[in-house]
Amino acid sequence: MRLRLSEDDAAFREEMREFFTTQVPSEIRESFAQGREHSKDDIVAAQRILNAAGIAVPAWPAEWGGRDWSPLRRHIWLEEMRFANVPPPLSFNASMIGPVIAAFGSQELKERFLPATANLDIWWSQGFSEPDAGSDLASLRTTAVRDGDEYVVNGQKTWTTLGQHGDWIFTLVRTDPQAPKRQMGISLLLVDMTSPGVTVRPIELIDGSFEVNEVWFDQVRVPVENLVGEEGQGWTYAKFLLGNERVGVAPVASIKRALADAKRIAATGGPGGSSLLDDPLVAARIAELENRLLALELTALRVVANSDEGKPHPASSVLKLNGTETQQAVTELLVDLAGPAALALGDGDGAQGLPHWAAHASPRYLNMRKASIYGGSNEIQRTIIAGTILGL
Amino acid sequence: MDFELDSEQTALREAVRDLLNDAYASTEARRAVQADDPGFGEKTWLQLAEMGVLGLPFAEDVGGMEAGPVEVGLVAEELGRVIAPEPFVEAVVLAGGLVDAVGTADQRTALLGGLSDGSTLLGFAHTEPGSRWSPSAESVRAERRGDGWALTGVKTPVVAGARADVLVVSARTDAGTELFLVTGEDADRASFRTTDGGRAATVTFEGTAARVLGEAGVDRTDAIAQAVARAQIAACREAVGAMERALWLTVDYLKTRKQFGVTLSTFQALKFRAADMYVQLELARSTALWATLLLDAGGDALDAASRASVQVAEAARHIGQEAVQLHGGIAMTAEYSAGHYLARLLVLTHALGDRTHHLSRLASNLEGHRWVDPLAYGSATA
Ligand SMILES: Cc1cc2nc3c(=O)[nH]c(=O)nc-3n(C[C@H](O)[C@H](O)[C@H](O)COP(=O)(O)OP(=O)(O)OC[C@H]3O[C@@H](n4cnc5c(N)ncnc54)[C@H](O)[C@@H]3O)c2cc1C
């Protein structure tokens, strides 16, 4: 047992810190530090800088740009990036479809897509969920019917995050409605979003933002070579994709920054610049959150420090559940620190007189409720813990 | 960074686990031991001594094993698992730790040798009626008498105080708070049963003869705070062991108990509550392990103890109470162990400072750091 990083890992941490704080333009990092979401251009620019340095997709196989890093190093890489306010590589590309194509795609698919995916020349969208297939994803109804060298796709996907930027969408479709088990009739298809018959319609969220979309497929013709792996194996690939990444499940460094900001704000956020930390209830709440975050970070470190590749550390299952709850708790803290300014939904129009952080506290709070819904809701996480760890 | 035991540590854990599993194979066995004074197993205590466990943290030249917080922590966790009543944390980590930190060479040799071989049980008499985890003595006073000292005042509760051969007593002097050694028999000791079935004593000093621990005239408030923090971290590990067993006891019960014609494990409301217990357990375990490693690395023991205690105490309440609730009525009986886990967890998270106490400390020191970096070597909050 040893707390300290090995000398090599400590040097690696320094190297990453140096890279992110000197090689990624400060405009990109500062705009995020000031509470704005990363723009598409920032995300693309950052990923290309990382890719040029060979550190955009470290978890991929080496021949496609991966690095043979330990889980601990991948954790350090990601946490240092988040800490420096660098937008992480687009998860749809780097953590989802890239590893699936690398593991199950044909050589042709790999050559066609992996370099462009790593470099974010293609912006991928994830087309899994449907209006009637959420947690119960296997009930999906979008169909793909073989017609010569093409599939004809019909149906509707929804919740497609940043689909408005999407060039391509990886989508789960039903290729065999007669399959004995519904999971067996599902395939994974790559669809060019400029194909005729694809319609993307934005959905406004409760914070007024537009980050998710409905995607409609109406007689969309997709060449059969865009099938990933084998027909009918889509469910297996989807499970691989969703369970693939155990590193970085809980965005500890981002939460840490947000909480440190909240504490700094609280120190002068009271009437006349007084400190809200003088209120013992506020101070206790922040102390509690710092400690919860410490426990979360340590659990993440335990998982990456002692993870056999292939065999998940049992404690990894708590990271999504507790990570999202902690992340949400910090947005709750900020909305409460904002006081009456929490009535503002951003600092546009007449709300310009309010401090930026206070005016943005409510939309961020509302937006962050999503974290415990997507990526396997927290109820699904509890089901997994009860089932796979406790055997209930 | 590495959170796993090495092979020697694993061997130690297995040996301690085997010994304790034999001694406390059943709830009845533990209750039988606790029924009679001194409330723990004298035989088990001697077996732990033979194994070297009672001398773990002390230097070899005073009869110890020269092991560190990691070994101490893993032993505590094993004790917690079977809620063994032996006062390892109080006698070895706390009272022994103080003798080790403050005592003269002769005192260390005499007392730590006896502690390690099981012949001398040490107790720490520090808490006073109405005091709440202060590191200094308030009402118990020490005055010079001839070559030695005389103590006056009351200490309570003193864990294993009636059985202790030698008491380490904190008392006020002109220098502040100093530490003294009192032969157990010389004090007036009234024993009582504690919440967890153990024993504590109210110890009354009426001009009782005492020797100063270490050099006279030095305020020992910091030394006490440090030793208490180290003991608190060991107690956190003991609580983690207890919580782990309480969780699995509950899970096993859910799988076997039938109501409405099915096992309780078919009810999702109960599965989710068990899952939440697991989450709490792992978060607490991570923090307690980290505090142990921070001690090992020479970090800030007080901060680490408070951080571990806040997390562990929250988990202990949650897991202890849920273990009882999910068992239903059976857990209310003294015959069944679920309630014993709750009671033991209560004691472990109160004896040296409860959650509110530690959270207040953290809350009053928020502005000393921007954020908490667990990897910052030497200090939790650099
Ligand atoms: C902002 C946002 C972005 C998203 N981005 C994408 C994306 O890019 N691509 C994509 O494919 N999908 C995306 N999703 C969809 C997301 O994966 C689903 O919302 C999620 O799977 C939950 O499905 P649902 O919303 O239909 O809720 P439902 O499954 O209908 O669940 C409703 C409630 O019931 C609970 N529940 C469901 N089943 C159980 C059960 N068995 N036991 C106990 N409780 C249960 C849920 O936890 C939830 O609380 C996104 C969602 C959001 C909100």
Side-chain angles (χ1 to χ4, degrees):
Chain A
M1 284 214 190
R2 180 170 43 81
L3 185 59
R4 236 172 323 135
L5 290 176
S6 69
E7 263 175 44
D8 285 354
D9 287 335
F12 177 81
R13 179 154 119 146
E14 276 314 307
E15 187 192 326
M16 289 296 124
R17 186 168 296 180
E18 159 99 18
F19 182 90
F20 294 128
T21 52
T22 60
Q23 302 302 304
V24 179
S26 56
E27 308 85 74
I28 292 182
R29 296 185 295 113
E30 269 158 29
S31 120
F32 190 63
Q34 282 159 19
R36 278 177 268 281
E37 290 297 320
H38 293 302
S39 69
K40 177 185 181 187
D41 289 348
D42 284 356
I43 295 171
V44 172
Q47 185 160 338
R48 287 185 183 159
I49 293 167
L50 265 56
N51 196 39
I55 59 170
V57 288
W60 292 16
E63 61 168 319
W64 299 107
R67 307 295 293 258
D68 203 14
W69 287 344
S70 64
L72 175 60
R73 288 210 173 177
R74 293 214 304 278
H75 171 89
I76 293 171
W77 162 78
L78 190 56
E79 288 293 284
E80 288 299 329
M81 183 171 3
R82 285 168 171 159
F83 213 60
N85 287 314
V86 171
L90 189 68
S91 63
F92 307 118
N93 288 37
S95 331
M96 295 186 184
I97 195 61
V100 169
I101 293 176
F104 305 106
S106 62
Q107 186 62 21
E108 197 236 312
L109 274 194
K110 290 179 193 173
E111 284 167 14
R112 189 169 152 211
F113 286 110
L114 289 180
T117 298
N119 204 46
L120 201 38
D121 298 333
I122 296 174
W123 184 296
W124 285 99
S125 288
Q126 180 192 12
F128 282 13
S129 304
E130 298 180 2
D132 288 331
S135 301
D136 182 17
L137 188 56
S139 67
L140 61 92
R141 291 206 295 249
T142 298
T143 55
V145 178
R146 182 81 185 252
D147 179 22
D149 291 342
E150 292 174 327
Y151 287 104
V152 180
V153 180
N154 280 289
Q156 185 200 346
K157 295 291 171 180
T158 189
W159 301 119
T160 317
T161 296
L162 300 182
Q164 64 267 44
H165 305 321
D167 301 310
W168 283 74
I169 184 165
F170 53 93
T171 184
L172 289 176
V173 291
R174 192 163 295 286
T175 40
D176 180 5
Q178 256 65 59
K181 276 187 71 190
R182 48 189 199 152
Q183 284 84 351
M184 290 162 68
I186 294 173
S187 301
L188 181 62
L189 212 51
L190 309 178
V191 183
D192 181 344
M193 290 181 78
T194 60
S195 312
V198 176
T199 310
V200 178
R201 224 159 47 201
I203 302 174
E204 183 176 7
L205 294 186
I206 47 176
D207 60 337
S209 73
F210 291 90
E211 60 180 55
V212 300
N213 302 266
E214 293 176 306
V215 178
W216 303 78
F217 299 92
D218 179 17
Q219 296 289 103
V220 178
R221 303 193 77 85
V222 179
V224 287
E225 58 264 29
N226 291 6
L227 179 76
V228 178
E230 291 170 41
E231 198 177 275
Q233 289 299 307
W235 189 253
T236 311
Y237 308 150
K239 277 202 309 198
F240 171 86
L241 176 155
L242 296 170
N244 195 25
E245 195 52 292
R246 279 168 219 117
V247 174
V249 175
V252 173
S254 312
I255 305 174
K256 197 182 278 189
R257 273 224 172 268
L259 183 56
D261 284 349
K263 187 165 74 172
R264 188 173 40 73
I265 284 163
T268 56
S274 61
S275 176
L276 293 169
L277 299 175
D278 293 341
D279 179 340
L281 293 180
V282 173
R285 194 163 158 198
I286 293 177
E288 236 169 347
L289 274 174
E290 284 190 345
N291 225 53
R292 272 175 69 177
L293 182 58
L294 172 68
L296 175 69
E297 178 167 13
L298 289 164
T299 306
L301 284 170
R302 265 176 68 207
V303 168
V304 294
N306 298 100
S307 233
D308 301 342
E309 288 290 357
K311 196 169 129 245
H313 192 294
S316 65
S317 59
V318 314
L319 295 175
K320 168 77 176 33
L321 180 57
N322 191 255
T324 54
E325 285 176 354
T326 307
Q327 194 173 20
Q328 291 174 333
V330 175
T331 66
E332 274 183 76
L333 170 70
L334 272 161
V335 93
D336 292 341
L337 290 176
L343 270 64
L345 196 70
D347 59 359
D349 303 330
Q352 280 156 3
L354 295 168
H356 178 84
W357 72 267
H360 284 272
S362 284
R364 261 194 242 163
Y365 159 76
L366 291 172
N367 186 276
M368 201 44 72
R369 304 314 302 169
K370 69 189 176 187
S372 51
I373 297 173
Y374 63 38
S377 75
N378 282 9
E379 288 68 36
I380 297 301
Q381 301 300 325
R382 287 186 175 89
T383 305
I384 293 171
I385 293 171
T388 62
I389 297 178
L390 304 179
L392 288 173
Chain B
M1 193 185 348
D2 179 8
F3 289 88
E4 304 289 311
L5 300 177
D6 67 24
S7 58
E8 261 182 61
Q9 292 160 345
T10 306
L12 174 64
R13 185 185 64 188
E14 295 310 316
V16 174
R17 185 174 290 184
D18 287 347
L19 190 162
L20 293 172
N21 279 346
D22 280 348
Y24 299 110
S26 66
T27 305
E28 301 88 81
R30 191 187 60 252
R31 293 187 74 211
V33 166
Q34 290 193 297
D36 300 321
D37 283 343
F40 65 86
E42 297 276 15
K43 194 173 135 225
T44 305
W45 191 248
L46 287 176
Q47 286 172 327
L48 288 168
E50 273 163 32
M51 219 176 248
V53 164
L54 304 186
L56 270 182
F58 310 123
E60 275 175 22
D61 61 5
V62 295
M65 302 289 286
E66 267 183 52
V70 173
E71 287 77 11
V72 166
L74 74 85
V75 168
E77 209 170 301
E78 292 308 316
L79 289 161
R81 202 162 274 148
V82 294
I83 43 176
E86 281 67 36
F88 171 75
V89 171
E90 292 85 353
V92 175
V93 187
L94 187 47
L98 278 168
V99 170
D100 198 22
V102 172
T104 62
D106 286 351
Q107 286 170 334
R108 289 177 61 242
T109 307
L111 292 172
L112 298 180
L115 176 62
S116 301
D117 69 21
S119 59
T120 308
L121 183 70
L122 300 184
F124 182 41
H126 176 61
T127 307
E128 299 172 0
S131 74
R132 292 180 76 85
W133 308 299
S134 158
S136 52
E138 303 299 335
S139 64
V140 172
R141 309 197 62 87
E143 267 150 20
R144 284 202 183 266
R145 191 171 66 191
D147 286 349
W149 296 76
L151 303 186
T152 313
V154 178
K155 295 283 187 182
T156 190
V158 181
V159 174
R163 165 65 182 79
D165 300 299
V166 176
L167 292 168
V168 177
V169 188
S170 62
R172 287 208 75 77
T173 65
D174 294 341
T177 295
E178 292 190 66
L179 290 168
F180 297 87
L181 298 172
V182 172
T183 303
E185 289 169 350
D186 291 351
D188 173 35
R189 301 181 288 181
S191 187
F192 59 89
R193 277 182 76 92
T194 49
T195 311
D196 57 353
R199 299 291 186 284
T202 298
V203 184
T204 306
F205 305 101
E206 292 171 311
T208 311
R211 292 160 286 151
V212 72
L213 182 67
E215 206 182 308
V218 184
D219 178 56
R220 301 297 184 186
T221 308
D222 285 347
I224 293 170
Q226 288 290 330
V228 168
R230 298 176 85 85
Q232 181 80 53
I233 291 168
C236 282
R237 296 290 299 279
E238 201 169 335
V240 167
M243 288 190 279
E244 183 177 315
R245 278 302 305 145
L247 167 63
W248 286 102
L249 188 70
T250 307
V251 166
D252 289 344
Y253 193 76
L254 293 179
K255 286 178 189 166
T256 47
R257 167 77 172 167
K258 280 191 173 172
Q259 286 294 287
F260 301 98
V262 292
T263 59
L264 294 177
S265 60
T266 49
F267 300 120
Q268 193 186 52
L270 303 185
K271 286 189 206 190
F272 278 21
R273 287 167 73 167
D276 284 336
M277 291 165 77
Y278 179 77
V279 172
Q280 285 283 337
L281 170 66
E282 288 306 316
L283 294 172
R285 187 198 304 279
S286 301
T287 320
L289 275 175
W290 165 79
T292 305
L293 293 179
L294 203 82
L295 280 188
D296 199 38
D300 180 347
L302 266 58
D303 189 72
S306 285
R307 294 193 177 282
S309 297
V310 166
Q311 201 64 37
V312 167
E314 177 179 340
R317 272 290 157 85
H318 179 91
I319 293 172
Q321 289 173 182
E322 289 289 82
V324 170
Q325 179 66 23
L326 269 51
H327 274 88
I330 185 79
M332 295 300 295
T333 67
E335 262 176 39
Y336 193 79
S337 65
H340 302 182
Y341 278 90
L342 175 63
R344 181 69 183 138
L345 286 167
L346 177 78
V347 167
L348 284 170
T349 53
H350 266 254
L352 302 172
D354 71 355
R355 185 169 191 275
T356 308
H357 171 77
H358 287 290
L359 186 59
S360 295
R361 279 204 50 217
L362 297 180
S364 63
N365 187 31
L366 277 179
E367 286 171 283
H369 55 273
R370 280 176 78 190
W371 46 63
V372 183
D373 180 359
L375 292 185
Y377 183 66
S379 166
T381 52

